[in-house]
């Protein structure tokens, strides 16, 4: 992404000017990319002008940026609908299982690259389990925590590969209406994180009920120690609320991060230009789109998987302890 | 911006926050199947490998520790032997030196005794030779004296004269110079 990081020094001299001898290769490439970007803006302004040219679908409101997140039912098998969300969930499962089983089949005393990565993932999830849960619960829930991590990670990562899955906004080639390419992730639909969060919520509530010998002990365990008198009902209310908010925070954190990330990439990668009808705006924002794409794919995908799984471990661990 | 009028996110985006129940069931089923497969096949295999590796490493550390202890024991033994050998060598050297000294002393003593013996022998030989020479000289002197006296007196001396003359002559001769060489 040198195109974005380099502009500052290139501001003063004209980008087209022959470069000084002794300039590093990276700098040369950066300056060239920057020059192409600047020339592109000039080109689009020269060809299309500043006057906006909105597409008819945009003017009529048929095209909206959220359309690409709609789950268009592709086909149904009885009561079971099949749409792109399902496709992505299945893809995530297949890729997860394929990678993990392939790694396990080739396990060696001297590990290769894939095995090192898998072992790192294993040690990471094992570490977070061990830190938050006692031995018994750790043994019981480590597979769940590890699966959550790898499943969400793969779901997030395949969400950055453009695939022809946008059946709502099609494009036409030689008369054929084909689904547009888009980057979609199953967890941009609230159903995905909500289901996983519900699963985790049920499990840690169940563990809490077991550990505190029934609902009364469990409710008592929610209260922090040392609260007396009139404060009790208020604090109790807050604690119960915060307990249920875990479900929402687990869901929304993953969902909103992924949805917002994908929307930002789409907006900066050209959608904003389409909406305002200015071609040069698309070109102008493209570097930002690429930067956000890399940021999301490299950092957010793994970070959100990590946060979801470590919170699962923390909630399970705190369920069996009292305040 | 007129464009914002065509961004009916709130209006058409309600599906965004409405969970799709069908997808939720798909997620649950697919996730649980993945979970069960991973729990059954993948995680135990990785755990087994990591345990095995941990055991190997631990075994190797133990082996290395044992090797180190053994090496230290061997080193200590060698040191001990070295010290022993050194003391033995010192002892041997001391003994050899003592033997040498004794031998030298003995040799010196023997040499001295031999010298003394030879000196004594020589002295005795010289003494005997001296005595023989003196006796020879004495008889020669006596004969010469008799001859000289006969020549002077033109007579033949009787046995008594002979004897007396010899004794007189010998009395006058000093042999002390000859016998003095003995001292």
């Amino acid at each position: 992404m040198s195109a974005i990081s380099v502009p500052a020094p290139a501001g003063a001299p004209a980008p087209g000017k022959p470069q000084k001898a002794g300039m590093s290769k990276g700098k040369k490439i950066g300056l060239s990319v920057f020059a192409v970007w600047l020339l592109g803006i000039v080109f689009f302004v020269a060809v299309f002008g500043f006057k906006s040219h909105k597409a008819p679908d945009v003017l009529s409101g048929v095209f909206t940026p959220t359309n690409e997140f709609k789950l268009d039912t592709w086909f149904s098998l009885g009561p079971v609908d099949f749409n792109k969300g399902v496709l992505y969930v299945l893809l995530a499962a297949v890729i997860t299982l394929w990678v993990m089983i392939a790694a396990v089949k080739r396990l060696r005393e001297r590990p290769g690259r894939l095995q090192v990565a898998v072992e790192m993932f294993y040690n990471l999830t094992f570490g977070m389990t061990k830190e938050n849960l006692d031995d018994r619960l750790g043994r019981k829930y480590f597979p769940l925590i590890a699966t959550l991590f790898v499943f969400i990670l793969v779901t997030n990562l395949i969400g950055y590969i453009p695939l022809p899955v946008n059946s709502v906004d099609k494009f036409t080639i030689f008369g054929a209406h084909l689904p547009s390419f888009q980057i979609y992730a199953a967890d941009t639909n609230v159903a995905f994180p909500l289901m996983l969060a519900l699963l985790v919520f049920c499990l840690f509530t169940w563990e809490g009920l077991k550990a505190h010998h029934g609902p009364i002990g469990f409710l008592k365990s929610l209260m922090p120690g040392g609260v007396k008198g009139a404060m009790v009902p208020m604090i109790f209310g807050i604690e119960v609320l915060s307990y249920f908010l875990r479900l929402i925070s687990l869901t929304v954190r993953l969902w909103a991060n992924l949805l917002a990330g994908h929307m930002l990439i789409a907006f900066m990668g050209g959608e904003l230009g389409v909406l305002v009808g200015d071609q040069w705006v698309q070109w102008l924002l493209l570097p930002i789109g690429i930067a956000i794409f890399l940021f999301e794919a490299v950092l957010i995908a793994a970070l959100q998987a990590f946060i979801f799984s470590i919170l699962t471990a923390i909630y399970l661990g705190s369920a069996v302890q009292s305040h | 911006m007129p464009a914002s009028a065509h961004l009916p996110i709130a209006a058409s985006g309600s599906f965004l926050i409405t969970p799709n129940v069908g997808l939720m069931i798909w997620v649950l089923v697919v996730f649980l199947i993945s979970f069960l497969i991973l729990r059954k096949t993948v995680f135990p295999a990785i755990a087994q490998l990591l345990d095995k590796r941990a055991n190997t490493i631990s075994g190797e550390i133990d082996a290395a520790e044992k090797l180190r202890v053994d090496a230290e024991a061997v080193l200590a033994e060698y040191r001990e032997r070295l010290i022993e050998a050194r003391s033995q060598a010192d002892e041997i050297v001391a003994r050899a030196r003592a033997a040498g000294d004794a031998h030298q002393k003995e040799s010196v003593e023997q040499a001295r005794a031999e010298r003394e013996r030879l000196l004594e022998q020589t002295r005795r030989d010289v003494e005997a030779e001296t005595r023989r020479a003196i006796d020879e000289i004495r008889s020669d002197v006596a004969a010469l004296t008799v001859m000289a006296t006969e020549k002077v007196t033109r007579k033949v001396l009787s046995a008594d004269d002979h004897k007396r003359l010899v004794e007189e002559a010998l009395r006058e001769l000093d042999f002390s110079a000859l016998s003095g060489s003995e001292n």
Side-chain angles (χ1 to χ4, degrees):
Chain A
M1 271 326 295
S2 46
I4 291 163
S5 52
V6 168
K17 215 172 134 183
Q19 280 123 12
K20 279 181 235 160
M23 196 180 277
S24 73
K25 202 179 166 190
K27 217 171 174 183
K28 274 183 195 166
I29 293 170
L31 278 176
S32 315
V33 171
F34 180 67
V36 169
W37 179 65
L38 271 186
L39 285 173
I41 294 172
V42 174
F43 171 79
F44 280 109
V45 170
V47 172
F48 298 101
F50 282 109
K51 196 168 173 285
S52 94
H53 303 73
K54 283 186 193 166
D57 278 357
V58 175
L59 278 171
S60 65
V62 172
F63 174 81
T64 66
T66 51
N67 274 357
E68 61 175 300
F69 298 104
K70 262 188 187 148
L71 294 181
D72 193 17
T73 302
W74 290 343
F75 58 86
S76 300
L77 295 169
V80 183
D81 282 352
F82 196 87
N83 52 40
K84 71 179 165 198
V86 176
L87 173 73
Y88 271 75
V89 171
L90 289 174
L91 265 179
V94 168
I95 292 172
T96 304
L97 292 175
W98 180 54
V99 169
M100 297 302 279
I101 291 172
V104 162
K105 272 191 181 160
R106 265 177 267 157
L107 283 182
R108 300 276 178 279
E109 273 292 305
R110 288 161 196 259
R113 281 185 195 172
L114 177 65
Q115 191 179 328
V116 168
V118 169
E119 281 177 17
M120 267 172 69
F121 141 75
Y122 185 94
N123 286 327
L124 177 78
T125 46
F126 193 74
M128 64 171 92
T129 309
K130 216 169 153 188
E131 267 174 40
N132 293 295
L133 299 175
D134 59 35
D135 272 359
R136 187 185 63 84
L137 276 187
R139 263 197 303 280
K140 192 170 168 189
Y141 285 110
F142 164 70
L144 177 81
I145 290 164
T147 309
L148 275 173
F149 181 88
V150 68
F151 192 70
I152 295 173
L153 178 68
V154 172
T155 306
N156 288 350
L157 285 177
I158 58 174
Y160 297 104
I161 304 168
L163 293 174
V165 289
N166 189 351
S167 55
V168 177
D169 298 309
K170 294 191 175 178
F171 71 103
T172 311
I173 289 186
F174 304 122
H177 297 287
L178 300 171
S180 302
F181 278 83
Q182 74 162 122
I183 50 168
Y184 181 78
D187 35 14
T188 57
N189 192 295
V190 72
F192 182 100
L194 179 63
M195 190 65 243
L196 296 183
L198 261 175
L199 180 71
V200 170
F201 183 83
C202 291
L203 285 173
F204 71 71
T205 305
W206 168 246
E207 285 298 335
L209 285 168
K210 265 205 310 191
H212 300 290
H213 313 294
I216 295 167
F218 171 68
L219 287 176
K220 271 187 193 163
S221 78
L222 292 179
M223 280 296 289
V227 180
K228 283 183 187 121
M231 292 295 279
V232 172
M234 198 180 84
I235 297 289
F236 183 73
I238 291 173
E239 289 293 336
V240 170
L241 188 68
S242 81
Y243 189 83
F244 283 96
L245 276 176
R246 286 176 182 182
L247 174 63
I248 297 178
S249 72
L250 260 184
T251 308
V252 171
R253 187 180 299 107
L254 180 58
W255 167 67
N257 262 292
L258 268 287
L259 180 64
H262 279 75
M263 282 188 124
L264 262 177
I265 295 166
F267 264 66
M268 296 302 164
E271 209 168 50
L272 201 63
V274 172
L275 288 172
V276 298
D278 282 320
Q279 280 72 10
W280 64 273
V281 172
Q282 299 184 19
W283 187 254
L284 178 80
L285 295 178
L286 187 61
I288 304 174
I290 295 170
I292 295 172
F293 177 86
L294 289 176
F295 175 73
E296 292 279 329
V298 172
L299 190 67
I300 301 297
L303 193 65
Q304 289 304 323
F306 176 79
I307 290 174
F308 198 98
S309 46
I310 200 168
L311 281 178
T312 302
I314 290 170
Y315 290 156
L316 280 166
S318 68
V320 295
Q321 293 163 351
S322 37
H323 276 286
Chain B
M1 279 291 275
S4 60
H6 299 289
L7 296 175
I9 296 173
S12 69
S14 62
F15 67 89
L16 283 177
I17 49 170
T18 315
N20 181 315
V21 179
L23 184 59
M24 283 178 77
I25 294 166
W26 271 106
V27 168
L28 184 65
V29 171
V30 172
F31 177 79
L32 285 181
I33 292 170
S34 308
F35 164 69
L36 291 175
I37 294 173
L38 289 179
R39 191 178 69 166
K40 187 143 181 69
T41 60
V42 172
F43 298 138
I46 299 175
Q48 201 183 348
L49 177 90
L50 292 181
D51 285 351
K52 199 174 142 198
R53 189 181 297 157
N55 287 340
T56 311
I57 291 170
S58 145
E60 271 164 14
I61 290 172
D62 287 349
E65 178 63 27
K66 192 176 167 291
L67 213 61
R68 194 182 63 81
V69 169
D70 286 357
E72 263 173 17
V74 170
L75 186 66
E77 196 189 319
Y78 274 116
R79 272 202 189 122
E80 208 171 286
R81 276 195 198 171
L82 194 65
I83 290 166
E84 206 173 295
R86 204 169 275 163
S87 76
Q88 274 180 5
D90 285 349
E91 198 184 316
I92 288 167
V93 168
R95 212 183 293 157
R97 192 171 287 152
D101 284 352
H103 186 70
Q104 191 186 10
K105 214 169 168 185
E106 196 180 325
S107 300
V108 168
E109 284 300 320
Q110 271 180 4
R112 186 175 292 152
E114 182 67 16
R115 195 192 63 174
E116 288 298 324
R117 194 182 61 75
L118 283 175
L119 273 176
E120 189 58 34
Q121 178 74 40
T122 311
R123 197 177 292 134
R124 271 202 299 277
D125 287 354
V126 168
E127 222 168 85
E129 201 61 29
T130 309
R131 203 169 292 129
R132 198 180 56 78
I134 287 170
D135 287 347
E136 212 167 276
I137 290 169
R138 188 175 278 171
S139 73
D140 282 356
V141 166
L144 282 170
T145 307
V146 171
M147 219 190 311
T149 309
E150 277 177 350
K151 287 238 172 105
V152 171
T153 57
R154 304 253 181 211
K155 64 173 187 182
V156 178
L157 294 175
S158 66
D160 288 347
D161 290 342
H162 200 194
K163 198 178 173 187
R164 189 180 41 85
L165 274 173
V166 168
E167 275 171 6
E168 271 175 11
L170 283 175
R171 217 174 288 136
E172 281 165 22
L173 274 173
D174 184 14
F175 288 101
S176 62
L178 285 171
S179 60
S181 70
E182 281 178 28
N183 300 327

